[in-house]
Amino acid sequence: MISFSSVLVLLLLLLNNHIFSQACCTVGTSISNGGERGILPVKTLSTAVTFQHNVLNTAYQSSEVIDDPLNRTSTVSNFNIEIEYGLVKKVSLLFILPYTNRTRETTVTNIATNTSEVITFKGDGLGDIIILGKYELITPSILSPLGLAVGGGAKLPTGSFEEENNGTRLSIDLQPGTGAADLLLWGHFLYGLPSISMSFNANFLYRYAGVNLDSYRYGDEFLTSINGSYVFTDFLALNLQLRGRFAEKDYWNGRFLPSTGGTYIDLTPGLIYYEGSFALRVFVLIPIYRNVQGIQLAVNNMLGTEISYVFDFN
């Protein structure tokens, strides 16, 4: 039987995948797996590189799938570098540097000539960095496998929001950055079941959005997830996550914007290989429910991978 300590270490170092990456027509906070685990032990450094490829080729009106009236499809690739360090006992600091590549294609038909043309818009570059501080209120132990942590931080406007394509400024959902500073509130709950090599955790992140220099304000977001993990060998574990994103409408020029905001619920299974301080995770996304404002494209396929390594300086 695998010990509780091995299960706990696995959870603290590996759980879980990227929450709600920013995507065309469903713009939101991007935060990596470090936002879904508890704090790191003091003088411990966790490093990770995460890649996700999102495909958006399904349009929704409210909760109904429709043919997109603009004939759009989109892809969003996210590349994150993540560093977290245990500063002192019960406190760790998480830093995330994202790079995004966003593409949107629109098919335009010329009725006179009965020909079609695909117009492509592309935006890429460094995104907005995230800094998140964590504080552990309840430390899990063998006698009481319950953990609770809270924290807060900010998303800083380091990414460009004024990228152009052929002299024309890209729409805000294709920009690598938002141009605004956001405040973040975070929480994490962990409960282990060592007798059956399973553990569960729950996470939430609330993003209070700021206003950029164009007076554009993204809608506030509430992100939450429930995760289960099962260790079935000395080097393999399964992870299953149910996650939800609840976004308000964006605001600009004195009004709330149509086709922004909504509710998105997904199932994200993953397989984790770990050996010592090294870990490799592969995961996919399965859409469960969408209920959007207006007409929006939404992520319907995602494949991701993460490589992580932990350094212990104690």
Side-chain angles (χ1 to χ4, degrees), residues 17-38:
N17 66 300
H18 186 284
I19 296 183
F20 314 107
S21 53
Q22 219 175 55
C24 297
C25 308
T26 56
V27 177
T29 299
S30 175
I31 190 164
S32 186
N33 71 333
E36 297 183 319
R37 65 168 177 240

Side-chain angles (χ1 to χ4, degrees), residues 248-297:
E248 297 179 358
K249 287 185 176 181
D250 297 354
Y251 188 83
W252 181 67
N253 199 24
R255 64 188 181 95
F256 290 101
L257 299 183
S259 298
T260 60
T263 298
Y264 313 83
I265 298 176
D266 302 297
L267 193 65
T268 308
L271 179 65
I272 305 168
Y273 170 82
Y274 60 99
E275 183 175 353
S277 298
F278 171 83
L280 170 66
R281 186 181 71 240
V282 179
F283 49 91
V284 297
L285 179 143
I286 303 172
I288 300 297
Y289 177 75
R290 274 92 172 92
N291 192 345
V292 303
Q293 301 291 333
I295 296 175
Q296 298 183 39
L297 292 181

Side-chain angles (χ1 to χ4, degrees), residues 59 93 147:
L93 184 65

Side-chain angles (χ1 to χ4, degrees), residues 216-243:
Y216 193 100
R217 184 181 187 276
Y218 288 100
D220 294 348
E221 287 183 314
F222 181 74
L223 314 175
T224 185
S225 65
I226 301 174
N227 314 276
S229 183
Y230 176 66
V231 181
F232 60 93
T233 74
D234 290 337
F235 54 88
L236 286 176
L238 289 174
N239 175 239
L240 185 63
Q241 177 190 72
L242 180 67
R243 62 188 188 180

